[in-house]
Amino acid sequence: MFSPKLAAGSAFPTLVAHSLDGSARDLSTPTGSADWLMVVVYRGRHCPMCTRYLKALSPFVEALAAMGVDVAAVSADSAEQLADHQRQLGEPMAFPMYWGLTVQQMQGLGLYVSDPRSPTETDHPFAEPGLFVVNAEGALQVVDISNNPFVRPDLKTLVRGLVWIRDPENHYPIRGTHPYP
């Protein structure tokens, strides 16, 4: 089976998701004064590894904001599942969380999509983890996707890498853009 992936350097697609206040947001553009955006796709409230990763991400948001990187997280969960997950998290995350990612959107991002093992896990197909960093031109600067919850970027390394990439003295290009034949 062939699963198309977004190419590094390509435009990040429009990605509309919903917040618990009923508003919708296009996750392809940063908010506020940020000119870059990090979109973290997580499996949903049923995944304890996602919960740990989101909690681990929260302390890095201030450093990311200082370098102009907005952060948002999204899953295929329903509004009710997101509200329950936020209660499970116990503390507000330092970034907004969105719900309602569709299978079509997951596939458009090149994510791996899984079906629940049983109704006790969840009640819908869900995306396996993905992390996308979109630069000021709307192009994919960093792409990381996995087919399971056990493989994700180390956040400390990722943030240090973004500091390096964003430093204009380094002239660091988007990597992985060599064309296929």
Side-chain angles (χ1 to χ4, degrees):
M1 168 176 32
F2 178 72
S3 175
K5 306 293 176 229
L6 292 174
S10 67
F12 190 71
T14 298
L15 182 64
V16 177
H18 308 280
S19 66
L20 288 178
D21 69 7
S23 64
R25 175 180 171 195
D26 178 2
L27 297 179
S28 66
T29 56
T31 60
S33 61
D35 59 345
W36 283 37
L37 172 65
M38 178 188 297
V39 177
V40 177
V41 179
Y42 67 100
R43 299 170 85 223
R45 76 160 179 200
H46 69 275
C47 178
M49 295 196 75
C50 293
T51 298
R52 283 194 294 276
Y53 197 76
L54 294 171
K55 283 184 172 186
L57 173 60
S58 204
F60 288 99
V61 171
E62 188 175 321
L64 289 162
M67 69 175 107
V69 180
D70 187 20
V71 177
V74 63
S75 77
D77 279 352
S78 67
E80 295 79 19
Q81 289 165 324
L82 174 56
D84 185 52
H85 193 202
Q86 287 183 330
R87 283 190 293 278
Q88 287 176 14
L89 288 164
E91 58 197 52
M93 296 296 96
F95 50 87
M97 296 173 67
Y98 298 92
W99 63 273
L101 196 61
T102 67
V103 170
Q104 182 180 6
Q105 288 172 316
M106 294 177 226
Q107 291 171 335
L109 292 171
L111 297 166
Y112 291 97
V113 181
S114 293
D115 292 315
R117 294 181 300 159
S118 72
T120 57
E121 183 176 44
T122 193
D123 60 354
H124 54 80
F126 55 90
E128 292 296 341
L131 189 145
F132 305 92
V133 178
V134 182
N135 66 25
E137 290 76 41
L140 280 166
Q141 186 78 35
V142 176
V143 180
D144 186 88
I145 60 170
S146 177
N147 73 322
N148 65 73
F150 310 112
V151 180
R152 301 172 200 242
D154 175 77
L155 292 165
K156 186 174 181 181
T157 302
L158 175 64
V159 172
R160 280 197 325 248
L162 290 174
V163 168
W164 173 263
I165 290 168
R166 297 237 37 197
D167 184 340
E169 295 292 316
N170 294 324
H171 306 286
Y172 197 78
I174 297 172
R175 306 310 299 174
T177 58
H178 183 83
Y180 280 77

